[in-house]
Amino acid sequence: MSKQHTHETCQQHVPAPAHASCGVHDHTAHSHTHAEIDLDCGCGHEHHHHHEQGSKKNVWPIVSLVIAAVLMAAGFILRLFDGLPEFVSDIVFVAAAVLSGYPVLIDGVKDLLKLRLDEHLLVSIAVIAACIIGEFPEAAAVTIFFQVGEMFEEFAVNRSKKSIAALTEIRPDTAHVMEKGTLVQKRAEEIPIGSVITVLPFERVPLDGTVRTGQSSLDASAITGESIPLEASAGTNALSGMINGSGTLELEVTNTYGDSAASRIIDMVENAASRKASTERTVSKFARIYTPVIVVAAILLAVIPSLITGEWSEWIHRSLIFLVASCPCALVLSVPLSFFAGIGAASKKGILVKGGEFIEKLSKADTVVFDKTGTLTTGELSVSSVIPSHGHTEEEVLQYAAGCEYYSNHPIAKAIVTAYGRMEEASVSDFQETPGHGTAARVLGKEVLCGGKNMMQQRGLDFAALPEAQVYVCVAGELIGAVQVSGTVRDDSAQAVRELKALGVNHVVMLTGDNEQAAAQTAQACGITEYRAGLLPGDKVTALEELKKGSAGTVFVGDGINDAPVLATADVGVAMGLGTDAAIEAGDIVLTNNRPSRLSDAVRLFRRTMGIVKFNIAFALIVKMAVLLLGALGLASMWAAVFADVGVSVLAVLNASRILRVRRETTQQLKS
Ligand code: ADP
Ligand code: MG
């Protein structure tokens, strides 16, 4: 199963290595299939590569650090010998500092030349100044601990990046095509819609398609996060990224490579970093003004009291502690890392998020509004009854209705066309559809209207003689009958509503264009007490705007059919399924597996993500401020300063990477 990810089959364009800033040196990112994921912490750093190429050099940072640590220990031992002049141990300390610190010093010089203030410059100044005032052991300690911290961070960042990159490795480049009795491999990009491809056992499906022949199962976990394999036989829709079971399948391709489900998921995951949460933006703005302010404060701290007291060495020393303690790395790295991890953890559950922004907004939301048809109920409706008016037959009603609905994509239309089952395209012309109203067309030479109450009212047609229905059929100005359709409530709709309420979402509302009776039934089945029926798409927008007032955040969950404007109006638009382009475009979050209950999973996960983000911010700020203050007062040692910098950022990063460790729901998810 891991075959699909080997390098021969993945020659697709491999973008530049992912990078994280804050001096995290990327050792692994040049392995072949890493997607371009930019963990930008907004501090404007470029990436620093000192010791990257080749695996041999990968051990050098560790070896040099170990030697430096040994040298430092030796320095302290040498100090114990009274007879030895101090400069001997000082030389050993300087050697330790240079050995462990030269990459930082090089970066510091580069930063200075580019007039960029970041932690490399802060550390470089601190180390050089420590040497100038003769504090050689501290110079060595600062560089050694700084490098240890960077290595830890790098490890955590790489781990998260790998786990996200795995999400983007779900798209094989090649597909098997049967040509003159032999199976040949072709580039998936070149295969047009309508061709037939062969998916061998345990291969990943390269393109979306409908099964023509074959019996197998499909593991959809990479796409939907769902662990139970789907049965696949003729007629099953297979999505790219799913893994075939033990049978061979022949698929008729329904989407091009670029439009395939796998491509959509990859695009979304890769672009997610660009829509930052406001917390994230605030932190990077803060970091940008923070460093210059700290440098100026440190200079003032070194100079002003010294001019007054004449104790230059003491105040420079305090200023150094202040500098070392001040590095904003913990914030600058752990906050974006947390959002990044939240996006990754969500995708594993079939929840695709278009940016950290929506993690923050969803975690705060107190109002969740559901669309009915296609969202709380399955997208597939069926005709439950056909009621002809006096003097007409069921057959006639259904025939005209099916003709009129022939070109519509609405679930109601599909139900009617399926129920009639033998409509001929040639008999239909002049098709028109009004969202939320219905359709009009010329069928078998007659003007036909097919739509809800609104539409009939508008035309002045009296439907009072017919029972309440979703669709009334009017032929040449005469109402000939009505069609009732019904959907099945999704099996986890009620669970979703219950869980959302348990999570403290105090408004769960249903908005629908369907009639009162159908709405009441669905609402009751789902445990929703607040609902509004008979709404046109525009009314849904108005209703949502009303709900927005006095709400801490609104979420609209829809299927993208007739509700794209509402998806865009809500603070967070959640689209069901990878089905319609409109939903994927308009939605901020996409539930790939059509399960409303994934929304409550998302709320839980994102609240946890925000909790970790807030904890990290508070923890870093409190520790840093305390050490800064104590350093300025001469009460904190260099060791405390080193902990405030390295310790806090390591802890914050480790805390952030906990987000990725979600409960695995599948057995063989993205193992590769
Ligand atoms: P929902 O809010 O449940 O998703 P819609 O807004 O899509 O429903 O549709 C609301 C109502 O408009 C339907 O119940 C039906 O009466 C009418 N309608 C919309 N589109 C069509 C169509 N293609 N054919 C017939 N009736 C339609
Ligand atoms: Mg709908």
Side-chain angles (χ1 to χ4, degrees):
M1 162 199 138
S2 62
K3 266 197 192 122
Q4 284 75 18
H5 320 289
T6 52
H7 322 309
E8 324 89 81
T9 50
C10 284
Q11 328 119 322
Q12 80 218 37
H13 136 89
V14 176
H19 75 263
S21 339
C22 242
V24 174
H25 310 290
D26 221 302
H27 300 308
T28 54
H30 27 253
S31 68
H32 338 255
T33 46
H34 278 243
E36 182 167 21
I37 292 158
D38 185 8
L39 228 185
D40 176 19
C41 44
C43 36
H45 306 168
E46 261 168 41
H47 204 41
H48 309 280
H49 298 271
H50 304 292
H51 24 241
E52 48 177 342
Q53 248 101 68
S55 57
K56 237 191 239 163
K57 284 185 184 166
N58 276 345
V59 297
W60 171 243
I62 299 171
V63 171
S64 64
L65 261 182
V66 171
I67 299 175
V70 170
L71 283 175
M72 187 167 81
F76 281 117
I77 292 167
L78 287 175
R79 286 224 162 158
L80 299 176
F81 297 101
D82 288 337
L84 220 61
E86 198 155 275
F87 77 85
V88 178
S89 61
D90 287 349
I91 288 172
V92 176
F93 285 125
V94 171
V98 170
L99 189 60
S100 59
Y102 76 91
V104 185
L105 291 174
I106 293 171
D107 281 339
V109 172
K110 279 191 199 154
D111 288 344
L112 189 65
L113 294 180
K114 290 183 189 159
L115 291 177
R116 203 171 48 193
L117 292 171
D118 71 5
E119 75 280 355
H120 296 102
L121 187 58
L122 292 180
V123 170
S124 303
I125 297 173
V127 170
I128 292 167
C131 291
I132 293 172
I133 61 168
E135 299 287 353
F136 300 106
E138 290 185 356
V142 168
T143 55
I144 289 175
F145 282 99
F146 185 77
Q147 289 295 51
V148 169
E150 297 238 309
M151 273 162 66
F152 255 111
E153 284 161 14
E154 176 192 328
F155 172 74
V157 168
N158 280 340
R159 229 185 45 155
S160 321
K161 278 197 302 206
K162 267 189 210 146
S163 109
I164 302 248
L167 295 168
T168 64
E169 284 165 12
I170 57 172
R171 179 178 57 183
D173 284 349
T174 57
H176 290 112
V177 180
M178 191 64 90
E179 264 176 12
K180 299 189 198 95
T182 46
L183 216 49
V184 293
Q185 267 205 0
K186 281 194 163 183
R187 291 181 57 78
E189 253 171 309
E190 289 159 7
I191 294 177
I193 294 176
S195 342
V196 176
I197 59 168
T198 305
V199 183
L200 298 176
F202 307 111
E203 220 179 25
R204 216 181 258 272
V205 178
L207 293 158
D208 301 351
T210 312
V211 176
R212 287 218 323 191
T213 57
Q215 275 283 338
S216 185
S217 62
L218 287 167
D219 171 359
S221 58
I223 303 294
T224 62
E226 208 73 56
S227 55
I228 305 159
L230 301 168
E231 285 306 313
S233 56
T236 307
N237 282 325
L239 294 178
S240 49
M242 292 182 175
I243 298 167
N244 189 14
S246 55
T248 300
L249 293 174
E250 272 197 344
L251 298 187
E252 185 175 330
V253 176
T254 53
N255 259 331
T256 58
Y257 183 72
D259 284 339
S260 67
S263 293
R264 288 190 172 144
I265 291 177
I266 293 170
D267 282 352
M268 260 187 271
V269 171
E270 286 180 353
N271 293 325
S274 60
R275 304 207 51 182
K276 297 205 187 315
S278 68
T279 313
E280 214 172 343
R281 274 182 264 125
T282 312
V283 164
S284 51
K285 262 190 227 149
F286 171 79
R288 235 169 288 151
I289 52 166
Y290 173 87
T291 317
V293 167
I294 286 292
V295 170
V296 171
I299 293 171
L300 295 179
L301 186 65
V303 175
I304 295 176
S306 304
L307 286 176
I308 299 167
T309 62
E311 292 173 27
W312 283 90
S313 161
E314 166 65 17
W315 287 99
I316 289 178
H317 192 212
R318 286 193 194 185
S319 156
L320 291 183
I321 292 174
F322 187 84
L323 267 188
V324 171
S326 69
C327 291
C329 223
L331 290 179
V332 144
L333 189 63
S334 80
V335 171
L337 186 68
S338 302
F339 283 108
F340 195 60
I343 291 169
S347 348
K348 285 187 187 165
K349 295 183 152 207
I351 303 160
L352 301 181
V353 196
K354 292 198 186 159
E357 188 185 338
F358 308 110
I359 290 188
E360 187 165 17
K361 285 182 173 165
L362 187 64
S363 72
K364 284 186 196 154
D366 63 354
T367 304
V368 174
V369 183
F370 286 99
D371 169 56
K372 182 180 78 80
T373 319
T375 305
L376 288 172
T377 66
T378 62
E380 283 121 54
L381 302 179
S382 54
V383 170
S384 45
S385 62
V386 180
I387 308 119
S389 301
H390 187 71
H392 296 276
T393 62
E394 274 186 33
E395 166 78 16
E396 201 186 344
V397 174
L398 206 53
Q399 183 185 25
Y400 282 108
C404 195
E405 298 282 23
Y406 192 76
Y407 291 105
S408 168
N409 267 325
H410 198 280
I412 292 181
K414 289 188 175 155
I416 292 175
V417 174
T418 310
Y420 185 64
R422 54 206 138 92
M423 199 63 221
E424 278 160 40
E425 229 167 270
S427 60
V428 187
S429 63
D430 303 328
F431 171 77
Q432 261 191 334
E433 176 155 15
T434 320
H437 287 262
T439 53
R442 178 175 287 278
V443 183
L444 302 167
K446 289 182 181 156
E447 294 290 344
V448 182
L449 294 173
C450 202
K453 275 188 197 168
N454 291 314
M455 188 184 215
M456 300 301 138
Q457 263 159 359
Q458 235 175 33
R459 317 271 162 147
L461 291 161
D462 182 18
F463 48 83
L466 287 163
E468 176 100 58
Q470 282 78 15
V471 178
Y472 298 92
V473 187
C474 168
V475 178
E478 186 202 351
L479 208 57
I480 65 161
V483 182
Q484 285 176 329
V485 292
S486 58
T488 0
V489 174
R490 290 188 199 275
D491 51 14
D492 65 334
S493 290
Q495 180 197 345
V497 173
R498 206 168 47 237
E499 288 183 355
L500 286 169
K501 285 186 175 161
L503 284 165
V505 173
N506 44 30
H507 266 100
V508 179
V509 186
M510 183 182 88
L511 298 180
T512 178
D514 207 342
N515 63 49
E516 169 67 33
Q517 201 188 333
Q521 250 173 28
T522 309
Q524 207 208 348
C526 301
I528 294 178
T529 46
E530 249 179 289
Y531 68 88
R532 294 181 56 184
L535 301 176
L536 296 177
D539 299 337
K540 289 187 188 172
V541 175
T542 321
L544 196 86
E545 274 165 353
E546 269 165 38
L547 288 165
K548 250 183 157 176
K549 288 179 202 141
S551 150
T554 52
V555 180
F556 180 81
V557 195
D559 62 349
I561 296 172
N562 290 351
D563 52 19
V566 205
L567 280 172
T569 308
D571 294 323
V572 184
V574 179
M576 297 287 285
L578 284 169
T580 65
D581 290 352
I584 295 167
E585 297 277 300
D588 304 316
I589 294 179
V590 178
L591 304 178
T592 58
N593 55 9
N594 286 322
R595 288 181 151 277
S597 62
R598 285 296 148 106
L599 185 65
S600 41
D601 292 343
V603 171
R604 226 173 284 128
L605 175 66
F606 295 168
R607 285 197 186 159
R608 188 166 154 248
T609 305
M610 289 311 294
I612 288 178
V613 166
K614 286 177 188 157
F615 176 86
N616 277 350
I617 293 176
F619 173 63
L621 285 182
I622 291 170
V623 175
K624 297 233 147 191
M625 289 307 143
V627 179
L628 282 178
L629 198 69
L630 294 175
L633 296 173
L635 297 172
S637 67
M638 187 58 96
W639 298 97
V642 167
F643 173 76
D645 175 42
V646 177
V648 171
S649 48
V650 167
L651 289 178
V653 165
L654 289 179
N655 197 19
S657 61
R658 274 195 313 136
I659 298 167
L660 268 176
R661 235 178 297 135
V662 288
R663 185 169 42 96
R664 285 267 159 147
E665 285 184 57
T666 56
T667 41
Q668 41 179 339
Q669 196 169 48
L670 306 171
K671 252 188 218 153
S672 67

